[in-house]
Amino acid sequence: MSRKASKARSITSRDVAELAGVSLMTVSRTLRTPELVSPATRKRVESAARKLNYVPDLAAGSLSSQRSGHVAVLLPSLRHAGFLRTVDGLSDTLRDNGYHLLIGDCYYSVDQQLELLRMLLGRRPEAIVLISGLDSPAAQDLLARAAVPVVETWHWPDDPHNMVVGFSQFDVGRAMTDSLIEKGHTRIGFLGALGPFDPNGEQRRQGHLAALRSAGLRDDIQSSVGKAPMEIEDGVKGASWLLEHFPEMDALACASDMTALGVLHECRRRGCAVPEQLAIAGFGDFDFAQYLQPSLTSVRLPSYRIGQLAAQLIVATISGEAPSPAPHCNLGFEIIHRQSTGNHDSLLSYSSSAP
Amino acid sequence: MSRKASKARSITSRDVAELAGVSLMTVSRTLRTPELVSPATRKRVESAARKLNYVPDLAAGSLSSQRSGHVAVLLPSLRHAGFLRTVDGLSDTLRDNGYHLLIGDCYYSVDQQLELLRMLLGRRPEAIVLISGLDSPAAQDLLARAAVPVVETWHWPDDPHNMVVGFSQFDVGRAMTDSLIEKGHTRIGFLGALGPFDPNGEQRRQGHLAALRSAGLRDDIQSSVGKAPMEIEDGVKGASWLLEHFPEMDALACASDMTALGVLHECRRRGCAVPEQLAIAGFGDFDFAQYLQPSLTSVRLPSYRIGQLAAQLIVATISGEAPSPAPHCNLGFEIIHRQSTGNHDSLLSYSSSAP
DNA sequence: CTGAAAGCGCTTACAG
DNA sequence: CTGAAAGCGCTTACAG
């Protein structure tokens, strides 16, 4: 009677077996491979299971089959529309193949990331998807020794751990600033979180700087306001600071569409005309970007597709097939020019590099 | 050389025990209750565990301890900023108390909901949080027999299953329309998903209708464009349809801020002045609402707080304490008037009803 | 402070 | 087509 006090015991396969008058493994078989069971027995087991509202204990099943049936995804933040789309893509494709998705949200924290990775590994996932890489040697070491398939996404590492489905953040930063340069801007700023907590943002900043340098333009217009994930208010404050210190700035590339929205707002407040006085570009092509006034130039990422392909790679790898797409996919991105950089109609610029 | 036969065996506590020269349960004890182990032994075990990069199998642990260590949340959509905040609140508080969160995204589908509930139950969660209720008798039945603590959130049921932390969607709908009536509007429309897939939205619509009826105003201005979750484009289309069919409409309550943004956009395109010709109200007070032009009147919900309180209730319930807050909390909501309903400065109206 | 035994609820070979 | 045995990797009492 020890453990009965606190908690009602769950229905187990033994209960079902007894009610149906069969053995344990006939119950298991009926649920997993009904075609190997005679119709009469099957019917009896199924009705017993239904009557008892039997829900098999997945943990017990995983333990004995040594297959957890789930895939883990580690991401910097759920408050990011793009990452969420990737999660959707993963989730949809994985579910169609019988896997469940375990989500680990790191809140852009290196410590959280390590702790979460450890906990996810403890659930013995059959594969791990990384949305934008591991940020500490400890985490990298832990994963390296875990002997589990890994798909990195949302970036394009020089030295991939295993599989990759992504695009180059550096290229995004460079392409956006190149396009601003082409439009004749010469005093172009960057507004994003500085520092090591958002490696992807840092990559874009490096791309931005590279573009400026190869055009021989000044590269000192940037602010260190806010940290990832950059929100609207960071855009307001960052714009305020930049407009004070660099009144000559004529274009600004932002860390995200959120930030860009804050910048738009601050410009309106100060009577700074967009795009005439200041051209503004975001990142992520959030839902609202094209409905703002002025509509916002941004970078569209293949977010859902990333999740979908990553899931396909995983399914193929686990089942031992040759990876369905190539195990290293660079999906590219699109720059969408809208009113905030002086385009009347939205115009598509495309960029992608197959591996 | 692919992947070492099918799968490299994981490191188990037995491996650690051997390396440290102790028994299995000394390893377990060192990890769970280090204070009961002698410092010397502890050190040996810890260093062995570190050397092997040992990550305990949580499924095995759950099975033998009969405590899964996780709590499940079932929600209509992750693409909803408010629900995401609730998830954050749950996740933060639960983590502080040693529980992990399992997320089930139903995509606003009744079938998905049932299937997900079954799968979550299969992981033997120690409690379940429902963001806005179960939509099928089958799901209700399944949960009722599962003998697991349940917290319903984001609504205010007449007949609660167990615990509740929420607010009345009906009251929200009524309060918003009442406030539009107070401002002198008489031809007030509603733009939301009709039908059974979004019970919360339907509740708000009923509240809206009740407000109109008790004021003796007409209640026929509504559209059936789109379905939950209503997106920006549904707002564009819905507004277009409503403005065609009811050109006399002078105010519009929308299903969400997303929808309202689409409405704003369509009004701009048609030269319909907001708020002079048409007052517009949203729902959810999304990040961007106050940064739009005109800024958007909306309803602010205690999203994060809901998650936090729900988690506290769960922790208390599991540990057998009296529920820390009352087990039925009505947290109320706030209507925030902004420019889209003719307010120059944002003005707070408050509404809440303690149980 | 440490360990041998039993068991959590399933599934995987293997017999029949 | 069906079942008795062994075991997945831990933890929970219980001895010592």
Short mmCIF file of all heavy atoms in Angstrom, two decimals, chain A residues 51 53 55-56 58 66 70 78-79 85 88 92 95 100 107 112 119 122-124 142 145 232-233 268 291 293, chain B residues 7 51 53 55 58 70 79 85 88 92 95 100 107 112 119 122-124 142 145 232-233 268 287 291 293:
data_model
loop_
_atom_site.label_atom_id
_atom_site.label_comp_id
_atom_site.label_asym_id
_atom_site.label_seq_id
_atom_site.Cartn_x
_atom_site.Cartn_y
_atom_site.Cartn_z
N LYS A 51 -11.96 0.26 -23.31
CA LYS A 51 -12.78 0.30 -22.11
C LYS A 51 -12.01 0.88 -20.92
O LYS A 51 -12.54 1.63 -20.12
CB LYS A 51 -13.27 -1.12 -21.76
CG LYS A 51 -14.30 -1.15 -20.67
CD LYS A 51 -14.94 -2.53 -20.57
CE LYS A 51 -15.69 -2.91 -21.83
NZ LYS A 51 -16.06 -4.33 -21.89
N ASN A 53 -9.43 2.84 -21.21
CA ASN A 53 -8.77 4.07 -21.60
C ASN A 53 -7.26 3.93 -21.43
O ASN A 53 -6.58 4.80 -20.89
CB ASN A 53 -9.27 5.24 -20.76
CG ASN A 53 -9.97 6.27 -21.62
OD1 ASN A 53 -9.43 6.70 -22.62
ND2 ASN A 53 -11.19 6.62 -21.23
N VAL A 55 -3.51 4.06 -21.98
CA VAL A 55 -2.51 4.85 -22.69
C VAL A 55 -1.14 4.28 -22.35
O VAL A 55 -0.70 4.38 -21.20
CB VAL A 55 -2.56 6.33 -22.26
CG1 VAL A 55 -1.50 7.13 -23.01
CG2 VAL A 55 -3.93 6.92 -22.50
N PRO A 56 -0.47 3.66 -23.31
CA PRO A 56 0.81 3.00 -23.02
C PRO A 56 1.83 3.99 -22.45
O PRO A 56 1.85 5.15 -22.86
CB PRO A 56 1.28 2.50 -24.40
CG PRO A 56 0.08 2.51 -25.26
CD PRO A 56 -0.83 3.56 -24.72
N LEU A 58 5.02 5.57 -22.55
CA LEU A 58 6.04 5.73 -23.59
C LEU A 58 7.45 5.60 -23.04
O LEU A 58 8.36 5.14 -23.73
CB LEU A 58 5.87 7.10 -24.26
CG LEU A 58 5.08 7.15 -25.56
CD1 LEU A 58 4.10 6.03 -25.70
CD2 LEU A 58 4.40 8.49 -25.74
N GLN A 66 14.81 0.67 -26.63
CA GLN A 66 16.00 1.49 -26.87
C GLN A 66 15.81 2.47 -28.03
O GLN A 66 16.74 2.80 -28.73
CB GLN A 66 17.21 0.59 -27.14
CG GLN A 66 17.63 -0.24 -25.94
CD GLN A 66 18.19 0.62 -24.82
OE1 GLN A 66 17.45 1.19 -24.02
NE2 GLN A 66 19.49 0.74 -24.76
N HIS A 70 11.84 10.23 -30.13
CA HIS A 70 11.79 11.68 -30.30
C HIS A 70 13.10 12.31 -30.70
O HIS A 70 14.17 11.76 -30.56
CB HIS A 70 11.16 12.40 -29.11
CG HIS A 70 11.69 12.03 -27.80
ND1 HIS A 70 10.87 11.76 -26.73
CD2 HIS A 70 12.94 11.86 -27.38
CE1 HIS A 70 11.63 11.46 -25.71
NE2 HIS A 70 12.87 11.52 -26.06
N LEU A 78 12.08 31.12 -28.37
CA LEU A 78 10.81 30.82 -29.03
C LEU A 78 10.13 32.10 -29.47
O LEU A 78 9.20 32.09 -30.26
CB LEU A 78 9.88 30.06 -28.08
CG LEU A 78 9.97 28.54 -28.10
CD1 LEU A 78 9.07 27.95 -27.04
CD2 LEU A 78 9.58 27.99 -29.47
N ARG A 79 10.59 33.23 -28.92
CA ARG A 79 10.00 34.52 -29.27
C ARG A 79 10.58 35.04 -30.57
O ARG A 79 10.96 36.20 -30.68
CB ARG A 79 10.33 35.55 -28.18
CG ARG A 79 9.84 35.18 -26.83
CD ARG A 79 8.42 35.63 -26.66
NE ARG A 79 8.36 36.83 -25.88
CZ ARG A 79 8.56 36.90 -24.57
NH1 ARG A 79 8.86 35.83 -23.90
NH2 ARG A 79 8.49 38.04 -23.95
N ARG A 85 8.82 29.05 -37.13
CA ARG A 85 8.49 28.41 -38.41
C ARG A 85 9.32 27.16 -38.62
O ARG A 85 8.84 26.15 -39.13
CB ARG A 85 8.77 29.38 -39.58
CG ARG A 85 7.86 30.55 -39.62
CD ARG A 85 6.84 30.40 -40.75
NE ARG A 85 5.69 31.23 -40.44
CZ ARG A 85 5.64 32.54 -40.66
NH1 ARG A 85 6.64 33.15 -41.25
NH2 ARG A 85 4.58 33.23 -40.33
N ASP A 88 7.89 24.52 -36.68
CA ASP A 88 6.71 23.98 -37.38
C ASP A 88 7.12 22.98 -38.44
O ASP A 88 6.54 21.90 -38.57
CB ASP A 88 5.93 25.11 -38.05
CG ASP A 88 5.07 25.88 -37.08
OD1 ASP A 88 4.87 25.39 -35.94
OD2 ASP A 88 4.60 26.97 -37.44
N ASP A 92 5.98 19.13 -38.18
CA ASP A 92 5.10 18.53 -39.18
C ASP A 92 5.74 17.29 -39.80
O ASP A 92 5.13 16.22 -39.87
CB ASP A 92 4.81 19.54 -40.30
CG ASP A 92 3.92 20.68 -39.82
OD1 ASP A 92 3.37 20.57 -38.71
OD2 ASP A 92 3.79 21.68 -40.56
N ARG A 95 6.37 14.40 -37.26
CA ARG A 95 5.14 13.73 -36.86
C ARG A 95 4.68 12.75 -37.94
O ARG A 95 4.27 11.64 -37.65
CB ARG A 95 4.03 14.74 -36.59
CG ARG A 95 2.72 14.08 -36.22
CD ARG A 95 1.63 15.09 -35.88
NE ARG A 95 1.77 16.29 -36.67
CZ ARG A 95 1.79 17.51 -36.17
NH1 ARG A 95 1.68 17.69 -34.89
NH2 ARG A 95 1.92 18.56 -36.96
N HIS A 100 8.33 12.41 -32.22
CA HIS A 100 7.86 13.58 -31.49
C HIS A 100 9.01 14.56 -31.33
O HIS A 100 10.17 14.17 -31.34
CB HIS A 100 7.33 13.18 -30.13
CG HIS A 100 6.06 12.39 -30.22
ND1 HIS A 100 4.96 12.83 -30.91
CD2 HIS A 100 5.73 11.19 -29.72
CE1 HIS A 100 4.01 11.93 -30.83
NE2 HIS A 100 4.44 10.91 -30.12
N TYR A 107 16.65 30.85 -24.27
CA TYR A 107 16.54 32.26 -23.90
C TYR A 107 17.84 33.02 -24.17
O TYR A 107 18.22 33.88 -23.38
CB TYR A 107 16.19 32.42 -22.42
CG TYR A 107 14.84 31.89 -22.05
CD1 TYR A 107 14.67 30.56 -21.71
CD2 TYR A 107 13.73 32.73 -22.05
CE1 TYR A 107 13.43 30.07 -21.36
CE2 TYR A 107 12.49 32.26 -21.70
CZ TYR A 107 12.34 30.93 -21.36
OH TYR A 107 11.11 30.46 -21.01
N GLN A 112 21.95 28.30 -19.91
CA GLN A 112 20.72 27.57 -20.20
C GLN A 112 20.96 26.55 -21.29
O GLN A 112 20.46 25.43 -21.25
CB GLN A 112 19.63 28.52 -20.70
CG GLN A 112 18.98 29.34 -19.62
CD GLN A 112 18.03 28.51 -18.81
OE1 GLN A 112 17.58 27.45 -19.25
NE2 GLN A 112 17.74 28.96 -17.61
N MET A 119 19.83 18.02 -20.36
CA MET A 119 18.53 17.44 -20.05
C MET A 119 17.93 16.76 -21.29
O MET A 119 17.41 15.66 -21.21
CB MET A 119 17.69 18.53 -19.42
CG MET A 119 16.31 18.87 -19.74
SD MET A 119 15.08 17.96 -20.63
CE MET A 119 13.98 19.33 -20.99
N GLY A 122 19.45 13.54 -21.86
CA GLY A 122 18.94 12.60 -20.87
C GLY A 122 17.66 11.90 -21.33
O GLY A 122 17.32 10.83 -20.85
N ARG A 123 16.98 12.51 -22.28
CA ARG A 123 15.78 11.87 -22.83
C ARG A 123 16.14 11.00 -24.02
O ARG A 123 15.25 10.50 -24.72
CB ARG A 123 14.74 12.91 -23.25
CG ARG A 123 14.29 13.87 -22.14
CD ARG A 123 13.06 13.37 -21.41
NE ARG A 123 12.82 14.20 -20.22
CZ ARG A 123 12.20 13.77 -19.13
NH1 ARG A 123 11.74 12.54 -19.06
NH2 ARG A 123 12.03 14.56 -18.10
N ARG A 124 17.41 10.85 -24.30
CA ARG A 124 17.90 9.98 -25.36
C ARG A 124 17.23 10.21 -26.71
O ARG A 124 16.64 9.30 -27.31
CB ARG A 124 17.71 8.50 -24.96
CG ARG A 124 18.46 8.09 -23.71
CD ARG A 124 19.95 8.04 -23.94
NE ARG A 124 20.69 7.56 -22.76
CZ ARG A 124 21.25 8.35 -21.84
NH1 ARG A 124 21.16 9.67 -21.95
NH2 ARG A 124 21.91 7.84 -20.82
N LEU A 142 30.07 17.93 -24.95
CA LEU A 142 29.00 17.03 -24.52
C LEU A 142 28.32 16.40 -25.73
O LEU A 142 28.09 15.19 -25.78
CB LEU A 142 27.97 17.84 -23.71
CG LEU A 142 26.94 17.07 -22.91
CD1 LEU A 142 27.64 16.19 -21.89
CD2 LEU A 142 25.99 18.03 -22.21
N ARG A 145 30.45 13.81 -27.82
CA ARG A 145 30.59 12.46 -27.27
C ARG A 145 29.27 11.70 -27.21
O ARG A 145 29.23 10.54 -26.82
CB ARG A 145 31.14 12.54 -25.85
CG ARG A 145 32.47 13.25 -25.79
CD ARG A 145 33.33 12.62 -24.74
NE ARG A 145 34.20 13.59 -24.11
CZ ARG A 145 34.88 13.35 -23.01
NH1 ARG A 145 34.75 12.20 -22.39
NH2 ARG A 145 35.65 14.28 -22.49
N ILE A 232 11.43 45.76 -29.99
CA ILE A 232 11.06 47.05 -30.57
C ILE A 232 11.71 48.20 -29.81
O ILE A 232 12.28 49.12 -30.40
CB ILE A 232 9.52 47.22 -30.55
CG1 ILE A 232 8.87 46.11 -31.37
CG2 ILE A 232 9.14 48.58 -31.10
CD1 ILE A 232 7.35 46.10 -31.33
N GLU A 233 11.64 48.11 -28.50
CA GLU A 233 12.14 49.22 -27.68
C GLU A 233 13.66 49.42 -27.86
O GLU A 233 14.16 50.54 -27.78
CB GLU A 233 11.79 48.96 -26.21
CG GLU A 233 11.74 50.18 -25.33
CD GLU A 233 10.90 51.30 -25.90
OE1 GLU A 233 9.79 51.04 -26.44
OE2 GLU A 233 11.34 52.47 -25.83
N ARG A 268 9.72 58.68 -36.98
CA ARG A 268 8.46 59.41 -37.11
C ARG A 268 8.37 60.47 -36.02
O ARG A 268 8.02 61.61 -36.26
CB ARG A 268 7.31 58.41 -36.99
CG ARG A 268 6.00 58.89 -37.51
CD ARG A 268 5.16 57.72 -37.98
NE ARG A 268 5.01 56.71 -36.93
CZ ARG A 268 4.95 55.39 -37.17
NH1 ARG A 268 5.01 54.94 -38.41
NH2 ARG A 268 4.82 54.57 -36.18
N TYR A 291 3.13 45.34 -44.09
CA TYR A 291 1.93 46.12 -43.78
C TYR A 291 2.23 47.39 -43.01
O TYR A 291 1.32 48.12 -42.64
CB TYR A 291 0.94 45.25 -42.99
CG TYR A 291 0.44 44.08 -43.78
CD1 TYR A 291 1.03 42.83 -43.65
CD2 TYR A 291 -0.59 44.24 -44.71
CE1 TYR A 291 0.58 41.75 -44.40
CE2 TYR A 291 -1.04 43.17 -45.46
CZ TYR A 291 -0.44 41.93 -45.31
OH TYR A 291 -0.89 40.88 -46.06
N GLN A 293 3.87 51.23 -42.44
CA GLN A 293 3.91 52.41 -43.29
C GLN A 293 5.08 53.28 -42.88
O GLN A 293 5.04 53.84 -41.79
CB GLN A 293 2.61 53.21 -43.17
CG GLN A 293 2.54 54.24 -44.27
CD GLN A 293 1.19 54.90 -44.34
OE1 GLN A 293 0.60 55.17 -43.30
NE2 GLN A 293 0.71 55.17 -45.52
N LYS B 7 24.13 1.80 -33.63
CA LYS B 7 24.09 2.85 -32.62
C LYS B 7 25.09 2.58 -31.50
O LYS B 7 25.14 1.48 -30.95
CB LYS B 7 22.67 2.89 -32.04
CG LYS B 7 22.41 4.09 -31.16
CD LYS B 7 21.06 3.98 -30.51
CE LYS B 7 19.96 4.54 -31.41
NZ LYS B 7 18.69 4.71 -30.71
N LYS B 51 34.39 12.20 -16.41
CA LYS B 51 35.31 11.64 -17.40
C LYS B 51 34.55 10.92 -18.52
O LYS B 51 34.89 11.02 -19.69
CB LYS B 51 36.26 10.65 -16.71
CG LYS B 51 37.40 10.18 -17.60
CD LYS B 51 38.45 9.44 -16.79
CE LYS B 51 39.09 10.34 -15.74
NZ LYS B 51 39.89 9.60 -14.76
N ASN B 53 31.47 11.56 -19.35
CA ASN B 53 30.40 12.41 -19.85
C ASN B 53 29.05 11.71 -19.67
O ASN B 53 28.22 11.67 -20.57
CB ASN B 53 30.63 12.71 -21.33
CG ASN B 53 30.84 14.19 -21.55
OD1 ASN B 53 30.05 15.00 -21.07
ND2 ASN B 53 31.89 14.54 -22.25
N VAL B 55 25.42 11.00 -18.85
CA VAL B 55 24.14 11.70 -18.78
C VAL B 55 23.09 10.66 -18.42
O VAL B 55 22.80 9.78 -19.22
CB VAL B 55 23.77 12.36 -20.12
CG1 VAL B 55 22.44 13.06 -20.02
CG2 VAL B 55 24.84 13.33 -20.55
N LEU B 58 16.88 9.69 -18.33
CA LEU B 58 15.73 10.19 -17.58
C LEU B 58 14.52 9.28 -17.69
O LEU B 58 13.71 9.19 -16.75
CB LEU B 58 15.37 11.59 -18.09
CG LEU B 58 15.92 12.79 -17.33
CD1 LEU B 58 17.19 12.48 -16.59
CD2 LEU B 58 16.10 13.98 -18.24
N HIS B 70 7.93 15.82 -15.41
CA HIS B 70 7.49 16.88 -16.30
C HIS B 70 6.01 17.15 -16.29
O HIS B 70 5.20 16.35 -15.86
CB HIS B 70 8.02 16.71 -17.72
CG HIS B 70 7.82 15.38 -18.30
ND1 HIS B 70 8.81 14.72 -18.97
CD2 HIS B 70 6.75 14.57 -18.33
CE1 HIS B 70 8.35 13.57 -19.38
NE2 HIS B 70 7.10 13.45 -19.02
N ARG B 79 1.95 29.96 -32.62
CA ARG B 79 2.05 31.21 -33.37
C ARG B 79 1.17 32.28 -32.74
O ARG B 79 0.44 32.98 -33.44
CB ARG B 79 1.57 31.02 -34.80
CG ARG B 79 2.32 29.98 -35.55
CD ARG B 79 3.51 30.59 -36.21
NE ARG B 79 3.28 30.81 -37.61
CZ ARG B 79 3.27 29.85 -38.53
NH1 ARG B 79 3.45 28.62 -38.19
NH2 ARG B 79 3.06 30.15 -39.78
N ARG B 85 3.82 33.66 -24.19
CA ARG B 85 4.16 34.27 -22.90
C ARG B 85 3.74 33.36 -21.77
O ARG B 85 4.44 33.22 -20.77
CB ARG B 85 3.42 35.61 -22.74
CG ARG B 85 3.89 36.66 -23.66
CD ARG B 85 4.72 37.71 -22.91
NE ARG B 85 5.59 38.38 -23.86
CZ ARG B 85 5.20 39.39 -24.63
NH1 ARG B 85 3.98 39.88 -24.52
NH2 ARG B 85 6.04 39.93 -25.49
N ASP B 88 6.20 30.77 -21.43
CA ASP B 88 7.37 31.28 -20.73
C ASP B 88 7.16 31.28 -19.22
O ASP B 88 8.03 30.87 -18.46
CB ASP B 88 7.67 32.73 -21.16
CG ASP B 88 8.36 32.80 -22.50
OD1 ASP B 88 8.85 31.76 -22.96
OD2 ASP B 88 8.41 33.90 -23.09
N ASP B 92 9.49 29.01 -16.85
CA ASP B 92 10.37 29.62 -15.85
C ASP B 92 10.08 29.07 -14.46
O ASP B 92 10.98 28.63 -13.76
CB ASP B 92 10.18 31.14 -15.82
CG ASP B 92 10.71 31.80 -17.08
OD1 ASP B 92 11.41 31.12 -17.86
OD2 ASP B 92 10.43 33.00 -17.29
N ARG B 95 10.77 25.24 -14.10
CA ARG B 95 12.19 24.93 -14.08
C ARG B 95 12.78 25.21 -12.70
O ARG B 95 13.55 24.43 -12.17
CB ARG B 95 12.95 25.75 -15.13
CG ARG B 95 14.45 25.47 -15.10
CD ARG B 95 15.19 26.24 -16.17
NE ARG B 95 14.57 27.50 -16.47
CZ ARG B 95 14.24 27.92 -17.67
NH1 ARG B 95 14.48 27.15 -18.70
NH2 ARG B 95 13.68 29.09 -17.85
N HIS B 100 10.27 19.80 -15.95
CA HIS B 100 10.43 20.19 -17.34
C HIS B 100 9.06 20.32 -17.99
O HIS B 100 8.09 19.72 -17.54
CB HIS B 100 11.24 19.14 -18.09
CG HIS B 100 12.67 19.10 -17.65
ND1 HIS B 100 13.47 20.21 -17.64
CD2 HIS B 100 13.43 18.09 -17.18
CE1 HIS B 100 14.66 19.89 -17.20
NE2 HIS B 100 14.67 18.60 -16.90
N TYR B 107 -2.33 23.27 -33.35
CA TYR B 107 -2.64 23.94 -34.62
C TYR B 107 -4.14 24.18 -34.78
O TYR B 107 -4.67 24.05 -35.87
CB TYR B 107 -2.16 23.10 -35.81
CG TYR B 107 -0.67 22.93 -35.89
CD1 TYR B 107 -0.03 21.92 -35.18
CD2 TYR B 107 0.10 23.80 -36.65
CE1 TYR B 107 1.34 21.76 -35.26
CE2 TYR B 107 1.46 23.64 -36.73
CZ TYR B 107 2.08 22.63 -36.04
OH TYR B 107 3.43 22.47 -36.12
N GLN B 112 -5.91 16.90 -33.88
CA GLN B 112 -4.56 17.02 -33.33
C GLN B 112 -4.61 17.05 -31.82
O GLN B 112 -3.78 16.48 -31.13
CB GLN B 112 -3.91 18.33 -33.80
CG GLN B 112 -3.40 18.30 -35.21
CD GLN B 112 -2.13 17.50 -35.31
OE1 GLN B 112 -1.46 17.26 -34.31
NE2 GLN B 112 -1.82 17.06 -36.51
N MET B 119 -0.70 11.35 -26.61
CA MET B 119 0.75 11.17 -26.58
C MET B 119 1.35 11.81 -25.33
O MET B 119 2.20 11.22 -24.66
CB MET B 119 1.28 11.70 -27.90
CG MET B 119 2.43 12.56 -28.10
SD MET B 119 3.74 13.02 -27.02
CE MET B 119 4.28 14.47 -27.91
N GLY B 122 0.90 9.68 -22.46
CA GLY B 122 1.81 8.55 -22.56
C GLY B 122 3.16 8.84 -21.91
O GLY B 122 3.89 7.92 -21.54
N ARG B 123 3.49 10.10 -21.78
CA ARG B 123 4.74 10.48 -21.10
C ARG B 123 4.51 10.65 -19.61
O ARG B 123 5.37 11.11 -18.88
CB ARG B 123 5.32 11.77 -21.68
CG ARG B 123 5.60 11.73 -23.18
CD ARG B 123 7.00 11.27 -23.51
NE ARG B 123 7.14 11.05 -24.95
CZ ARG B 123 8.02 10.20 -25.48
NH1 ARG B 123 8.83 9.50 -24.72
NH2 ARG B 123 8.09 10.04 -26.78
N ARG B 124 3.33 10.34 -19.13
CA ARG B 124 3.00 10.38 -17.71
C ARG B 124 3.37 11.69 -17.03
O ARG B 124 4.13 11.71 -16.05
CB ARG B 124 3.68 9.22 -16.98
CG ARG B 124 3.27 7.84 -17.46
CD ARG B 124 1.85 7.53 -17.08
NE ARG B 124 1.49 6.14 -17.44
CZ ARG B 124 0.88 5.81 -18.58
NH1 ARG B 124 0.57 6.75 -19.48
NH2 ARG B 124 0.56 4.56 -18.81
N LEU B 142 -10.90 11.27 -21.95
CA LEU B 142 -9.55 10.74 -21.76
C LEU B 142 -8.88 11.40 -20.56
O LEU B 142 -8.29 10.75 -19.70
CB LEU B 142 -8.73 11.02 -23.03
CG LEU B 142 -7.40 10.28 -23.18
CD1 LEU B 142 -7.62 8.79 -23.17
CD2 LEU B 142 -6.73 10.71 -24.48
N ARG B 145 -10.34 10.54 -16.99
CA ARG B 145 -9.96 9.26 -16.41
C ARG B 145 -8.47 9.16 -16.09
O ARG B 145 -8.03 8.16 -15.55
CB ARG B 145 -10.30 8.15 -17.40
CG ARG B 145 -11.78 8.13 -17.75
CD ARG B 145 -12.23 6.72 -17.94
NE ARG B 145 -13.28 6.65 -18.94
CZ ARG B 145 -13.68 5.51 -19.48
NH1 ARG B 145 -13.10 4.37 -19.13
NH2 ARG B 145 -14.66 5.50 -20.35
N ILE B 232 -2.97 38.44 -40.58
CA ILE B 232 -3.10 39.79 -41.14
C ILE B 232 -3.97 39.79 -42.40
O ILE B 232 -4.88 40.61 -42.55
CB ILE B 232 -1.71 40.36 -41.48
CG1 ILE B 232 -0.86 40.44 -40.21
CG2 ILE B 232 -1.86 41.74 -42.11
CD1 ILE B 232 0.57 40.89 -40.44
N GLU B 233 -3.71 38.83 -43.26
CA GLU B 233 -4.42 38.80 -44.54
C GLU B 233 -5.93 38.58 -44.35
O GLU B 233 -6.74 39.07 -45.14
CB GLU B 233 -3.81 37.71 -45.43
CG GLU B 233 -4.04 37.88 -46.91
CD GLU B 233 -3.67 39.28 -47.43
OE1 GLU B 233 -2.63 39.83 -47.03
OE2 GLU B 233 -4.46 39.83 -48.23
N ARG B 268 -6.38 52.11 -45.05
CA ARG B 268 -5.44 53.06 -45.65
C ARG B 268 -5.55 52.99 -47.17
O ARG B 268 -5.61 54.00 -47.85
CB ARG B 268 -4.03 52.69 -45.19
CG ARG B 268 -3.01 53.78 -45.36
CD ARG B 268 -1.92 53.64 -44.32
NE ARG B 268 -1.34 52.30 -44.32
CZ ARG B 268 -0.90 51.69 -43.24
NH1 ARG B 268 -0.97 52.26 -42.05
NH2 ARG B 268 -0.38 50.50 -43.33
N ASP B 287 3.16 43.14 -29.21
CA ASP B 287 4.28 44.08 -29.11
C ASP B 287 4.12 45.29 -30.02
O ASP B 287 4.41 46.41 -29.64
CB ASP B 287 5.60 43.38 -29.54
CG ASP B 287 6.05 42.37 -28.51
OD1 ASP B 287 5.62 42.48 -27.35
OD2 ASP B 287 6.84 41.48 -28.87
N TYR B 291 3.03 50.71 -31.59
CA TYR B 291 3.97 51.35 -32.52
C TYR B 291 3.39 51.53 -33.91
O TYR B 291 4.05 52.01 -34.80
CB TYR B 291 5.27 50.55 -32.59
CG TYR B 291 6.00 50.52 -31.28
CD1 TYR B 291 5.87 49.45 -30.41
CD2 TYR B 291 6.79 51.59 -30.88
CE1 TYR B 291 6.53 49.43 -29.19
CE2 TYR B 291 7.45 51.59 -29.67
CZ TYR B 291 7.31 50.50 -28.82
OH TYR B 291 7.96 50.50 -27.62
N GLN B 293 0.72 53.06 -36.79
CA GLN B 293 0.20 54.39 -37.02
C GLN B 293 -1.12 54.30 -37.77
O GLN B 293 -1.11 53.91 -38.94
CB GLN B 293 1.20 55.22 -37.83
CG GLN B 293 0.80 56.67 -37.81
CD GLN B 293 1.84 57.56 -38.43
OE1 GLN B 293 2.43 57.20 -39.45
NE2 GLN B 293 2.05 58.72 -37.85
#
